[in-house]
């Protein structure tokens, strides 16, 4: 059976205020933190597994990177993982 992918839309990204992790697909998440009433803090998270180890990498704040830019950054991270490169270590170098 095919797995449904619930991709985020620009409208949903703008409207979400409830704290939590919202999946875009392929390891990209929007993390919303705060009390849910005032302006919440939103950031992009990329989750991946490399060499049997689960990792989580922050890609940046929603105020700096929109949905399209976050998807492009996640795609670059997936390319690095495919080549056996840890994107967290590559960013540190």
């Amino acid at each position: 059976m095919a797995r449904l992918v619930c991709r985020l839309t620009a409208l949903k990204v703008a409207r979400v205020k409830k704290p939590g992790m919202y999946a875009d697909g392929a390891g990209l998440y929007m993390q919303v933190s705060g009390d849910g009433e005032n302006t919440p803090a939103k950031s992009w998270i990329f989750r991946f597994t490399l060499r049997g180890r689960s990792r989580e990498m922050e890609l940046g704040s929603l105020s700096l990177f929109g949905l399209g830019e976050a998807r492009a950054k996640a795609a670059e991270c997936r390319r690095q993982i495919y080549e056996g490169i840890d994107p967290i270590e590559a960013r540190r170098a």
Side-chain angles (χ1 to χ4, degrees):
M1 174 176 253
R3 185 173 173 194
L4 295 176
V5 177
C6 183
R7 293 185 62 120
L8 293 172
T9 63
L11 185 60
K12 184 170 183 171
V13 167
R15 288 186 176 173
V16 169
K17 291 187 174 151
K18 185 177 176 186
M21 297 282 278
Y22 298 86
D24 184 56
L28 180 63
Y29 293 83
M30 180 180 66
Q31 180 179 23
V32 179
S33 57
D35 59 10
E37 293 184 19
N38 297 323
T39 304
K42 298 177 182 179
S43 59
W44 298 108
I45 304 292
F46 180 66
R47 288 182 173 174
F48 63 97
T49 302
L50 184 65
R51 297 182 204 106
R53 183 175 171 200
S54 295
R55 311 265 330 250
E56 200 171 89
M57 176 180 179
E58 186 167 346
L59 299 178
S61 171
L62 181 67
S63 62
L64 296 175
F65 304 103
L67 179 58
E69 293 168 307
R71 286 177 176 163
K73 285 180 161 237
E76 176 62 23
C77 290
R78 284 191 295 276
R79 185 190 61 76
Q80 289 176 332
I81 292 166
Y82 178 77
E83 294 173 357
I85 300 168
D86 186 341
I88 296 173
E89 295 299 322
R91 182 169 61 182
R92 286 183 189 155

